[in-house]
């Protein structure tokens, strides 16, 4: 690879690793060195299976591209083994010259921070959707939020019933004042929720808000 090509690849924001048909590493850029915690001079020309001997098969997509000729794209791949605890977006590509395959490369980005932020947002949505508030002894309030449709009814049923049982609530006020869409699907969800609560011996009051 020329000095110019090497300079360009080192200024790309994603990591790049290329191997030949014998699984020898033929290129690695600076971003990939940083993410994979290796030095170029230590890995160039080395067999990727020997450089990363403990890597599980489920993360060896560039090697699989060599074996099958198939290219892979994974938006968020857990890369958790050894010293690594990451989420990577990966794209493998077949390398060809004169229409003949001579290797494969993988482009990857560290998406760990964004993935963790997404998980945090999902957890907040779930907390908003199912938040049983104790009002007084054995009386609780469940204010349903519009995000309940995003987290799903099964989550509402599982977590809601668990929280009510843990709080030993015998009367639950379900506040629907923030729910803007009362369609048939939502009505069926409410019937199932109320039926399950009744089986726990919980009395239910529905609050629709002020007109």
């Amino acid at each position: 690879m020329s000095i110019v090509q090497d300079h360009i690849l080192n200024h790309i924001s994603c990591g790049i690793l290329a191997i030949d048909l014998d699984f020898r590493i033929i290129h690695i850029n600076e971003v990939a060195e940083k993410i994979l915690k290796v030095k170029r001079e230590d890995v160039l020309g080395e067999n990727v299976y020997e450089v990363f001997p403990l890597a599980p098969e489920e993360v060896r997509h560039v090697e699989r591209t060599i074996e099958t000729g198939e290219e892979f794209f994974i938006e968020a791949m857990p890369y958790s083994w050894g010293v690594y605890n990451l989420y990577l977006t990966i794209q493998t590509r077949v390398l060809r010259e004169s229409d003949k395959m001579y290797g494969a490369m993988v482009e990857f980005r560290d998406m760990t921070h964004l993935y963790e932020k997404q998980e945090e947002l999902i957890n907040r949505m779930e907390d908003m959707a199912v938040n049983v508030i104790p009002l007084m002894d054995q009386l609780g309030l469940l204010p349903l939020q519009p995000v309940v449709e995003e987290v799903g009814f099964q989550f509402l049923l599982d977590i809601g019933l668990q929280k009510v049982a843990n709080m030993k609530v015998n009367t639950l006020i379900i506040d629907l004042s923030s729910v803007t869409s009362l369609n048939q699907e939502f009505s069926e969800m409410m019937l199932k929720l109320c039926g399950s609560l009744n089986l726990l011996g919980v009395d239910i009051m529905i609050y629709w808000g002020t007109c």
Side-chain angles (χ1 to χ4, degrees):
M1 183 172 293
S2 71
I3 295 176
V4 173
Q5 289 175 317
D6 194 50
H7 178 76
I8 292 172
L9 290 176
N10 280 331
H11 284 77
I12 293 177
S13 60
C14 64
I16 295 177
L17 175 75
I19 61 176
D20 64 16
L21 298 180
D22 294 320
F23 304 101
R24 292 190 299 261
I25 298 172
I26 57 177
H27 183 75
I28 182 170
N29 72 348
E30 291 177 358
V31 176
E33 288 182 80
K34 183 177 179 180
I35 293 174
L36 297 177
K37 305 181 189 299
V38 297
K39 293 183 179 180
R40 182 183 315 194
E41 58 267 27
D42 294 334
V43 301
L44 276 181
E46 300 296 326
N47 187 291
V48 71
Y49 282 98
E50 295 177 358
V51 175
F52 304 107
L54 301 180
E57 284 301 315
E58 58 264 26
V59 304
R60 292 190 180 275
H61 295 288
V62 68
E63 296 93 327
R64 197 167 294 117
T65 295
I66 290 289
E67 294 167 350
T68 66
E70 183 180 356
E71 296 181 339
F72 300 94
F73 172 75
I74 302 178
E75 189 171 1
M77 179 188 76
Y79 196 75
S80 300
W81 63 274
V83 298
Y84 309 106
N85 188 22
L86 307 169
Y87 282 89
L88 303 177
T89 292
I90 72 160
Q91 170 75 65
T92 67
R93 303 184 189 278
V94 172
L95 297 177
R96 299 182 186 277
E97 186 174 359
S98 301
D99 207 31
K100 184 178 180 181
M101 179 178 176
Y102 70 89
M105 65 176 285
V106 57
E107 304 170 14
F108 51 95
R109 289 181 171 83
D110 185 355
M111 306 298 289
T112 308
H113 180 68
L114 292 177
Y115 184 84
E116 289 174 347
K117 285 291 184 183
Q118 183 181 24
E119 287 293 296
E120 182 181 347
L121 178 60
I122 291 172
N123 290 336
R124 288 182 180 179
M125 288 178 62
E126 291 174 345
D127 288 341
M128 288 176 59
V130 190
N131 182 27
V132 180
I133 303 169
L135 298 180
M136 58 181 67
D137 186 35
Q138 296 185 315
L139 175 64
L141 172 67
L142 173 59
L144 290 185
Q145 304 295 328
V147 294
V148 70
E149 296 181 2
E150 301 293 331
V151 301
F153 168 68
Q154 192 60 47
F155 179 84
L156 170 64
L157 189 62
D158 292 344
I159 303 302
L161 294 178
Q162 179 182 334
K163 288 187 175 182
V164 168
N166 290 343
M167 294 171 61
K168 298 181 180 179
V169 169
N170 62 19
T171 301
L172 182 68
I173 302 171
I174 301 178
D175 182 359
L176 301 180
S177 59
S178 297
V179 178
T180 57
S181 177
L182 300 177
N183 53 31
Q184 181 177 352
E185 183 180 2
F186 184 84
S187 299
E188 292 175 355
M189 177 193 77
M190 287 299 302
L191 287 173
K192 291 179 180 178
L193 175 61
C194 292
S196 299
L197 288 168
N198 284 333
L199 289 176
L200 293 177
V202 178
D203 294 326
I204 300 163
M205 299 174 59
I206 303 295
Y207 176 68
W208 299 94
T210 56
C211 297

